[in-house]
Amino acid sequence: MRPIPKLLVLALFCQFVTSQEIPDFSDLKSHEYYIGQLENSKDQNFQRILGLYDTYIRNNPSQVTAMVERCRFIGNSYYDAYEDYNLKYDETLECIEQLYAKYPTHPQVLIYRAENLYGDEELESLQESLRAISGGEWSWRDEEKSKIYQMLGEHFRYTNESEALRYYVRAQDFDPAQDLSIPLTELHQAMGNDELAKNTILSHLGGDTATWRMNNKAKLLLELGETERALELFDQVRLKDSTYIDNAEMAKAMINMGKKDLAREFLVKDTTLSWNKVGRMQALYTHDLEHADTKTALASYRSLQEANSYDDFLAVKRLGLFLKNPFLPWNFSELLHLFFLVLVIALLFVLPYIWILPIYNLGLWLKRRGKVIVPKVNFNWNLKHFWIMSFVYLLAQFLLILVFYYEENINAFFEVTFSYEEITEDEPTLAKSMLAFVAVMALGTLVVIKKNVLAHLYKSKIDLWESIKLGVAFVIFNIIFLKVLRSFITVETPDIEGLMFNAAPEIIAMLRTYGFGISFLAVALFGPIYEEIIFRGVVLGSVEKQLGFVTANIIQAAMFATIHYNFKLFLYYFVFGLITGYYAKRTGGLITGIVLHVINNFFVLLLLSILVR
């Protein structure tokens, strides 16, 4: 058999290649085509294609697009999306910087460079692009201007909503054909402009073909109360790709429309999916508890317990059913979990002895050695009251978890469900939990308020006006002290001394949910009163009888700092406690410490109310 001539082979190859729609090297997506050619003999083909780019660029030295595409080809050819790793990362950066050095104001160069930068470097590059748009040597197409403004919007999206909105609007103006309705709607919604958010998303419903975008738009419509339009869009999504349909979202839509039975059908269907089955069954039980009859809710509850018996480890959900219908029967497993709840409360009852018994025994040891303790505050509280308030505090914290965060904590502790999303507290729940805690602690403090201690609350060797002046001086001291601490610690919240005490999330949640009046009562009045009674009254007074004032003051200050759960500002709270403890001794009562505490918390509350407007 005669061999096929080489020229014929070459001619056939050229005919095959030219028969494929090979993009020009100056095409904005030529890199995507050539990356597709790297399936086999990757290294060999990489060098060959890179050589083709280089040859083209030598023959067309003014084709900046081809140069950018060459960099994109390098940057994407060895990128592993699964591992998020790029073998050619350093080469990509070098290619970008060489290109930027040669064409520092070219639109495509600036866009590609900004796409590969992060944080402040990205912002600086985008701002440089804005300057190039207004006065650069290259003309910018509207699509390129839109891209820069869109990237600026993305940069500020989660840090400065108004700035992000301004840039997204500019991006949409320059390129009306692109659909930025999702980020625009979310920003309007975040800024409280629900009507504008609704109009934005509704004006961009027609002609959309991207399934993921249609699905996200449907979810936004649900959140904005456009239930019927959302369902229409969900139907379109289901016809294109049913895997996008979120049964939980559909159930939410049905509830909004008052179709609770239909909502339950979607939730039941959701439980047939294998991934995170228990989490889906939890959603069904929550729905049944609120919307179905108690027998149906009990059936859902028991199915959930069969799937994972840890789901209601402390029988809190079963107690919820009991409150709705006390006559529902309990099985052995449910009674066992109820016993666990009682056992935990009993343990909380005993737990204070861990720190009270050592204080008592150390006091006995000092007395045996002839140490005479002369009380300097001489409050009528003893270690029994210290134990009572310790139990009240532990019980209040425990009840807070059971009422507001039970399912989340059980899920996390026993790994009942699986979620890749970080659990975040919504502000209304955070505010409710804080208000409930203050109420429980305030009521609990009444247990140790007897006739023989009432005088301690208002007794003082200095008058009220002097206490108020001390309170103002105390606030000034705290500001200076926090300035010093800021030199040694990093406070994540904005300035103004870390929003005072770095406790801003809870206080801001109170302000936004209940307003200044209720926040004042909880944060700046009742909170300081019961904290001073507990720490500078009960703890200081009872421990002093055993160990003397200095040791007692250190212990109460350390406990006061500990219960604020802020290690970075532990020293601040500790000094706060020492000072108010000192004034309890100096004045012979608690009123001065209460005034200092109230003025300090009022200043924090006032400052935050101004900042969150």
Side-chain angles (χ1 to χ4, degrees):
M1 183 177 179
R2 294 177 61 187
I4 299 174
K6 292 182 179 180
L7 287 175
L8 180 58
V9 173
L10 182 59
L12 290 171
F13 174 76
C14 291
Q15 183 180 355
F16 171 76
V17 170
T18 54
S19 67
Q20 309 302 306
E21 293 185 5
I22 300 176
D24 188 274
F25 285 103
S26 61
D27 190 304
L28 276 172
K29 293 188 177 182
S30 67
H31 73 281
E32 295 179 1
Y33 171 82
Y34 286 109
I35 287 171
Q37 309 302 307
L38 298 179
E39 296 297 330
N40 300 309
S41 303
K42 192 167 197 172
D43 293 338
Q44 181 180 346
N45 282 328
F46 174 80
Q47 294 299 331
R48 178 181 63 81
I49 294 169
L50 200 59
L52 293 175
Y53 269 113
D54 291 338
T55 301
Y56 180 85
I57 292 169
R58 278 197 302 271
N59 294 331
N60 301 273
S62 62
Q63 277 289 352
V64 181
T65 301
M67 300 176 194
V68 172
E69 288 301 293
R70 178 183 181 276
C71 291
R72 291 184 189 275
F73 172 73
I74 294 172
N76 290 277
S77 56
Y78 281 82
Y79 176 70
D80 187 331
Y82 182 78
E83 296 289 341
D84 192 21
Y85 177 72
N86 186 4
L87 189 62
K88 298 288 184 180
Y89 178 74
D90 293 334
E91 290 182 40
T92 305
L93 292 183
E94 183 182 356
C95 183
I96 294 171
E97 291 309 313
Q98 287 176 355
L99 195 55
Y100 173 67
K102 192 173 181 180
Y103 301 100
T105 60
H106 193 281
Q108 293 173 28
V109 174
L110 288 173
I111 289 172
Y112 182 52
R113 183 171 183 265
E115 288 174 345
N116 287 272
L117 295 175
Y118 305 94
D120 292 339
E121 289 184 338
E122 179 198 31
L123 179 59
E124 184 180 344
S125 176
L126 291 171
Q127 290 172 338
E128 183 182 353
S129 300
L130 290 181
R131 291 191 291 270
I133 289 174
S134 60
E137 59 181 293
W138 302 88
S139 61
W140 286 67
R141 293 182 294 112
D142 284 348
E143 293 83 356
E144 293 167 340
K145 295 176 185 178
S146 177
K147 181 64 178 177
I148 292 297
Y149 282 108
Q150 183 181 346
M151 292 172 71
L152 280 163
E154 290 167 358
H155 179 87
F156 288 106
R157 188 168 180 178
Y158 302 105
T159 57
N160 189 329
E161 292 164 352
S162 59
E163 193 76 351
L165 182 61
R166 183 170 70 88
Y167 285 124
Y168 273 121
V169 169
R170 290 284 285 161
Q172 189 76 81
D173 289 342
F174 275 114
D175 188 6
Q178 71 167 328
D179 188 353
L180 296 177
S181 59
I182 291 176
L184 284 169
T185 300
E186 289 175 344
L187 286 168
H188 286 311
Q189 191 178 13
M191 297 171 70
N193 301 322
D194 284 358
E195 196 61 34
L196 193 53
K198 191 183 300 183
N199 292 335
T200 300
I201 202 72
L202 288 173
S203 63
H204 288 80
L205 292 183
D208 205 337
T209 58
T211 308
W212 66 269
R213 194 161 53 231
M214 293 168 65
N215 190 59
N216 287 341
K217 287 180 180 180
K219 290 181 179 180
L220 284 172
L221 287 170
L222 274 184
E223 293 175 10
L224 293 166
E226 289 288 328
T227 307
E228 291 187 8
R229 298 299 297 272
L231 290 176
E232 291 174 9
L233 202 53
F234 274 130
D235 281 339
Q236 295 176 36
V237 171
R238 180 172 51 80
L239 292 173
K240 292 170 69 70
D241 187 348
S242 61
T243 60
Y244 271 93
I245 293 299
D246 189 330
N247 289 310
E249 291 288 348
M250 296 299 290
K252 180 180 176 182
M254 294 300 105
I255 291 172
N256 290 340
M257 295 179 68
K259 299 178 180 180
K260 297 171 184 177
D261 291 340
L262 191 55
R264 188 177 193 278
E265 289 181 18
F266 278 105
L267 291 173
V268 170
K269 182 179 179 181
D270 216 25
T271 61
T272 61
L273 302 175
S274 58
W275 185 84
N276 199 21
K277 187 179 182 69
V278 174
R280 300 172 193 277
M281 295 178 74
Q282 287 176 342
L284 176 62
Y285 168 71
T286 301
H287 174 274
D288 286 347
L289 182 65
E290 185 174 354
H291 301 294
D293 62 85
T294 52
K295 289 185 178 179
T296 301
L298 180 61
S300 297
Y301 173 83
R302 288 180 172 169
S303 296
L304 179 55
Q305 301 316 301
E306 288 177 10
N308 193 313
S309 61
Y310 291 110
D311 167 76
D312 193 23
F313 189 75
L314 297 175
V316 173
K317 294 180 180 180
R318 185 62 184 85
L319 284 172
L321 265 174
F322 173 79
L323 293 176
K324 293 196 75 173
N325 185 351
F327 301 104
L328 289 174
W330 290 65
N331 61 27
F332 175 77
S333 175
E334 292 160 8
L335 290 172
L336 180 63
H337 287 293
L338 183 62
F339 169 74
F340 291 155
L341 175 63
V342 175
L343 183 62
V344 170
I345 294 175
L347 289 174
L348 295 179
F349 187 82
V350 175
L351 193 61
Y353 286 108
I354 293 176
W355 50 86
I356 291 175
L357 281 178
I359 292 172
Y360 175 74
N361 289 327
L362 184 57
L364 287 179
W365 181 77
L366 290 174
K367 289 176 183 176
R368 291 193 192 104
R369 291 179 61 88
K371 177 74 173 179
V372 178
I373 305 295
V374 180
K376 295 182 180 180
V377 294
N378 200 28
F379 294 154
N380 296 324
W381 283 297
N382 53 44
L383 291 180
K384 179 187 74 173
H385 301 104
F386 185 9
W387 167 79
I388 291 173
M389 289 315 305
S390 296
F391 172 64
V392 168
Y393 174 79
L394 292 173
L395 184 62
Q397 288 282 7
F398 182 61
L399 292 176
L400 204 69
I401 293 172
L402 295 188
V403 173
F404 294 100
Y405 309 107
Y406 175 67
E407 189 168 82
E408 294 91 330
N409 280 278
I410 289 291
N411 287 346
F413 187 81
F414 292 108
E415 297 183 348
V416 174
T417 61
F418 303 95
S419 175
Y420 294 104
E421 296 181 4
E422 183 180 352
I423 296 175
T424 56
E425 293 178 299
D426 61 281
E427 284 194 339
T429 302
L430 190 60
K432 287 177 185 176
S433 64
M434 184 176 180
L435 190 62
F437 179 76
V438 171
V440 172
M441 288 303 300
L443 291 172
T445 305
L446 295 177
V447 177
V448 295
I449 302 298
K450 305 294 183 182
K451 287 184 179 180
N452 64 339
V453 300
L454 285 175
H456 302 321
L457 301 183
Y458 56 81
K459 180 180 179 182
S460 179
K461 294 177 182 178
I462 60 178
D463 60 29
L464 182 60
W465 176 242
E466 187 68 23
S467 296
I468 292 173
K469 289 193 291 184
L470 281 172
V472 174
F474 186 51
V475 170
I476 296 171
F477 168 79
N478 286 334
I479 293 173
I480 296 171
F481 186 44
L482 281 168
K483 278 186 175 292
V484 175
L485 281 181
R486 286 292 295 269
S487 303
F488 302 97
I489 62 176
T490 301
V491 178
E492 297 174 356
T493 49
D495 207 4
I496 316 287
E497 310 320 321
L499 290 184
M500 294 298 292
F501 318 153
N502 206 24
E506 293 82 1
I507 302 176
I508 288 174
M510 286 280 293
L511 284 167
R512 286 177 173 164
T513 306
Y514 297 112
F516 189 85
I518 292 179
S519 299
F520 170 78
L521 292 175
V523 176
L525 187 60
F526 290 115
I529 291 173
Y530 77 68
E531 285 184 350
E532 290 303 313
I533 292 173
I534 293 171
F535 293 99
R536 264 64 75 180
V538 175
V539 179
L540 180 62
S542 61
V543 177
E544 185 200 32
K545 293 180 176 63
Q546 306 294 322
L547 307 177
F549 175 78
V550 174
T551 303
N553 201 30
I554 291 172
I555 289 174
Q556 68 83 14
M559 294 185 72
F560 176 72
T562 301
I563 62 103
H564 283 85
Y565 302 106
N566 193 325
F567 177 76
K568 289 183 178 179
L569 293 178
F570 180 89
L571 183 60
Y572 166 78
Y573 288 112
F574 180 72
V575 173
F576 188 110
L578 288 178
I579 292 173
T580 47
Y582 162 77
Y583 276 103
K585 180 191 76 169
R586 179 184 166 187
T587 64
L590 298 176
I591 189 64
T592 299
I594 290 173
V595 170
L596 264 63
H597 205 148
V598 166
I599 291 175
N600 183 81
N601 283 20
F602 175 75
F603 172 74
V604 174
L605 190 66
L606 185 62
L607 178 64
L608 289 174
S609 67
I610 295 171
L611 290 174
V612 299
R613 282 178 183 172

